[in-house]
Amino acid sequence: MSNAPSEDADAKRTVSNEETVEEKEGATTKDHGLPSIADLAQANIRGLRAPEIIARLTPEQRLELETRLRRKIDRRLLPMIILMYIMNYIDRNNIAAAKLAGLPEDLHLDPNASEFQTAVSILFVGYLLMQIPSNLFLNKIGKPALYLPGCMMVWGVISAATAAVTNFGGLIAVRFFLGFVEAAYFYVVIFHTRKELGFRTAALYSGALISGAFSGLMSAGITQNMDGVRGLAAWQWLFVIEGVITVGISFVAVFILPNFPRTTSWLTEEEKALAIWRLEEDIGEDDWIDSEHQSLWEGARLAFADLKTWVLMVLLFGIVASGSVTNFFPAVVKTLGYGNVYTLLLTCPPYVLTVIATFINAWHADRTGERYLHIMWPLVVAMAAFILAAATTSLAPRYVAMMLMVPGVYSAFVVALAWISNTLPRPPAKRAAALAFINAVSNASSIYASYMYEDRMAPRYVIAMCVNCGTIFLSMIAATVLRFMLVRLNKKLDRGIFVEGAINAIPGEATQHGFRFKV
């Protein structure tokens, strides 16, 4: 670390250099889609001290290094995580396609006892039980590049083993353990600042959305061409092929995924320092130091003591509950009256539209820094779609409703996820506990939702659509409450009043120098 006079000189030189760069370029770096370079003088005012390796960089060097770091991380992280999420959701939801391929008949599932619905919902029991411990354990060890592929390999084996079950009990067992292992959860927040999260969260969850379209195409091909091959039914081949692909991807992921900034071996020391400093600039605190600084129970205690955690939980619960229609989407599309293969193909366009809508909504939310309206408007569209689906049996309006309900729900969901990390950013143990808790509780809705899509309730599924509208309205209330809370906290920051979990600046300068909650 340099002495105080040197720091002052560096700060003045940095300000001067930044002004020169802006004059030459005629615009800030933000205009080019890059985050603006934080002024070291402002960081000093907030009590932050850049490491020497970062403080000596000129603005041009800092911009070049930051661009190289972000691209290096994104090239490795996003494609692999998207692939992992594709397989995560395919292995979780392929049972819906297996239903159309004859699984209930071959296993002699009793429709009057809702045995198929129980097989779907039991996965989320295992998921719920392991979500918080898994996320806290990952944050403790700081090695997602080993932990996540390891979990992926195990769930791929379990998914493939589903092909060997012969009765209801065996199906329940493999589904429970599949959810137990799939609870491993990962966010790009470990490398990216708050203003970069929305678009990257959309990219991350595009894996889930693409899986809907990809799974429909794959299932249609397997159902059409592989039934009876080598003595296996089409639904058995579905589990075998998708499970083997999952295991194969897990081997590759070990060599590609990053760990935390301090523990990623393929980053240079300069890149590690900048990755850590970017998070400190954004929030005012380092993200991950070592396992000794990550108290599992302390993180959980901080998360549960924060009222914002509970409001965010209600927000996500309502969105995920309404999105449970995707667990039975092939069955819902089947009510249009087409054959099994054509039905599976018809499930693809809604997911393609969802990917496009989600990216546009998340990109605009990041560009404007606004969260509330980017959640509310998609939810309005989703609610209108659910009402339309319940109100008519005509083919065209029903498929329009199906085209809109999934984009509406997921466009809001992705921005809401980014809002969690924006609102509860640090310390990392608290963030990990909050994310896991909120995700676990929200997915618990899938336990009861499975029983709202029984065959006897087709074609309109009135109960399910009405409940979905109710949970969307619940999310709208929670989003509105959270917005009022965050606006009030930002006003306190402006006045220099201490706010728990925020970086508190001197009065009147919070906007310029301190933490601001995104609303």
Side-chain angles (χ1 to χ4, degrees):
M1 295 289 288
S2 58
N3 55 30
S6 177
E7 287 178 354
D8 292 340
D10 286 343
K12 292 177 182 178
R13 184 171 62 255
T14 300
V15 173
S16 175
N17 286 339
E18 285 190 14
E19 292 171 351
T20 303
V21 171
E22 290 183 2
E23 287 173 2
K24 289 180 179 179
E25 296 181 351
T28 64
T29 56
K30 187 176 180 180
D31 293 335
H32 298 282
L34 297 171
S36 57
I37 300 175
D39 190 341
L40 289 180
Q42 293 181 4
N44 290 338
I45 291 175
R46 293 167 57 192
L48 302 177
R49 292 294 181 270
E52 181 64 30
I53 195 172
I54 300 301
R56 70 188 181 203
L57 295 177
T58 66
E60 296 94 334
Q61 292 171 332
R62 163 71 187 267
L63 176 59
E64 180 184 354
L65 179 61
E66 187 162 357
T67 301
R68 187 171 70 245
L69 170 67
R70 192 167 48 249
R71 289 176 178 171
K72 190 174 184 178
I73 293 299
D74 285 345
R75 276 198 303 267
R76 282 178 168 261
L77 177 64
L78 294 183
M80 182 51 64
I81 286 295
I82 288 172
L83 264 180
M84 293 176 75
Y85 265 76
I86 286 175
M87 299 316 300
N88 182 287
Y89 276 76
I90 283 179
D91 291 337
R92 182 189 309 180
N93 295 324
N94 55 11
I95 192 171
K99 179 183 180 182
L100 298 183
L103 179 145
E105 292 78 15
D106 288 353
L107 299 187
H108 308 292
L109 302 184
D110 185 355
N112 297 321
S114 302
E115 288 184 343
F116 179 79
Q117 282 70 28
T118 302
V120 173
S121 66
I122 195 67
L123 178 142
F124 296 96
V125 176
Y127 193 87
L128 178 65
L129 291 174
M130 195 58 184
Q131 181 76 93
I132 295 177
S134 176
N135 217 31
L136 289 176
F137 179 71
L138 169 59
N139 197 71
K140 178 73 174 178
I141 63 174
K143 293 286 186 179
L146 294 177
Y147 180 68
L148 295 177
C151 290
M152 187 180 188
M153 189 180 304
V154 174
W155 93 56
V157 172
I158 295 173
S159 180
T162 308
V165 303
T166 57
N167 53 44
F168 174 64
L171 183 62
I172 289 294
V174 296
R175 292 286 296 175
F176 174 80
F177 286 108
L178 180 62
F180 197 81
V181 180
E182 280 200 351
Y185 209 59
F186 191 56
Y187 280 86
V188 294
V189 68
I190 60 172
F191 273 98
H192 294 96
T193 61
R194 291 178 300 146
K195 61 187 174 184
E196 297 168 350
L197 279 181
F199 184 78
R200 284 167 176 81
T201 303
L204 175 65
Y205 271 87
S206 68
L209 307 177
I210 294 171
S211 73
F214 185 70
S215 179
L217 293 173
M218 180 182 289
S219 300
I222 294 173
T223 302
Q224 180 74 17
N225 301 303
M226 299 197 67
D227 190 27
V229 175
R230 295 187 177 274
L232 297 179
W235 66 266
Q236 291 175 302
W237 278 115
L238 195 65
F239 288 112
V240 169
I241 292 173
E242 293 174 353
V244 169
I245 293 174
T246 298
V247 173
I249 293 174
S250 69
F251 279 108
V252 179
V254 174
F255 303 100
I256 294 179
L257 284 181
N259 287 305
F260 288 93
R262 291 180 184 272
T263 57
T264 298
S265 59
W266 40 262
L267 289 179
T268 67
E269 290 303 316
E270 193 175 43
E271 289 169 340
K272 289 180 181 179
L274 180 58
I276 296 167
W277 176 243
R278 274 166 33 93
L279 300 178
E280 289 192 55
E281 279 183 323
D282 186 41
I283 301 299
E285 181 179 336
D286 195 356
D287 191 81
W288 195 96
I289 301 174
D290 55 48
S291 61
E292 297 302 319
H293 288 73
Q294 311 302 312
S295 170
L296 305 183
W297 300 114
E298 179 64 14
R301 186 192 68 79
L302 290 172
F304 295 148
D306 194 331
L307 181 60
K308 296 190 293 297
T309 300
W310 299 94
V311 178
L312 285 163
M313 182 203 71
V314 175
L315 170 63
L316 262 292
F317 176 85
I319 296 176
V320 174
S322 62
S324 61
V325 65
T326 59
N327 295 338
F328 291 89
F329 202 57
V332 174
V333 177
K334 177 70 174 175
T335 63
L336 296 176
Y338 296 101
N340 289 344
V341 173
Y342 199 48
T343 293
L344 290 169
L345 294 176
L346 284 174
T347 62
C348 301
Y351 284 102
V352 174
L353 178 60
T354 301
V355 173
I356 296 171
T358 299
F359 267 106
I360 292 175
N361 190 53
W363 170 81
H364 194 262
D366 268 4
R367 186 174 180 84
T368 61
E370 203 277 339
R371 297 289 182 259
Y372 176 71
L373 291 179
H374 289 83
I375 293 174
M376 292 294 284
W377 282 114
L379 290 181
V380 170
V381 172
M383 181 180 287
F386 288 128
I387 293 173
L388 180 60
T392 181
T393 57
S394 299
L395 190 148
R398 284 184 59 76
Y399 194 61
V400 168
M402 295 171 194
M403 287 290 296
L404 294 179
M405 60 178 66
V406 183
V409 169
Y410 270 95
S411 294
F413 175 69
V414 166
V415 177
L417 277 180
W419 211 8
I420 297 175
S421 296
N422 294 157
T423 306
L424 304 170
R426 306 290 188 271
K430 174 184 177 181
R431 182 190 67 226
L435 287 170
F437 171 67
I438 292 169
N439 188 64
V441 173
S442 62
N443 275 284
S445 61
S446 296
I447 297 175
Y448 72 78
S450 300
Y451 299 96
M452 300 190 303
Y453 293 92
E454 296 186 20
D455 292 341
R456 61 184 175 83
M457 299 177 179
R460 293 191 297 156
Y461 295 104
V462 175
I463 295 177
M465 300 305 163
C466 290
V467 170
N468 291 342
C469 287
T471 53
I472 283 178
F473 183 68
L474 184 66
S475 290
M476 290 177 170
I477 294 175
T480 303
V481 170
L482 182 63
R483 188 179 191 281
F484 277 113
M485 291 174 62
L486 298 182
V487 167
R488 188 178 72 242
L489 292 176
N490 281 340
K491 288 180 179 178
K492 286 185 177 182
L493 287 173
D494 281 336
R495 298 194 300 269
I497 301 174
F498 178 80
V499 174
E500 185 68 34
I503 302 304
N504 295 271
I506 58 179
E509 296 190 8
T511 302
Q512 222 176 5
H513 304 306
F515 176 93
R516 297 283 289 176
F517 292 104
K518 291 186 178 294
V519 295

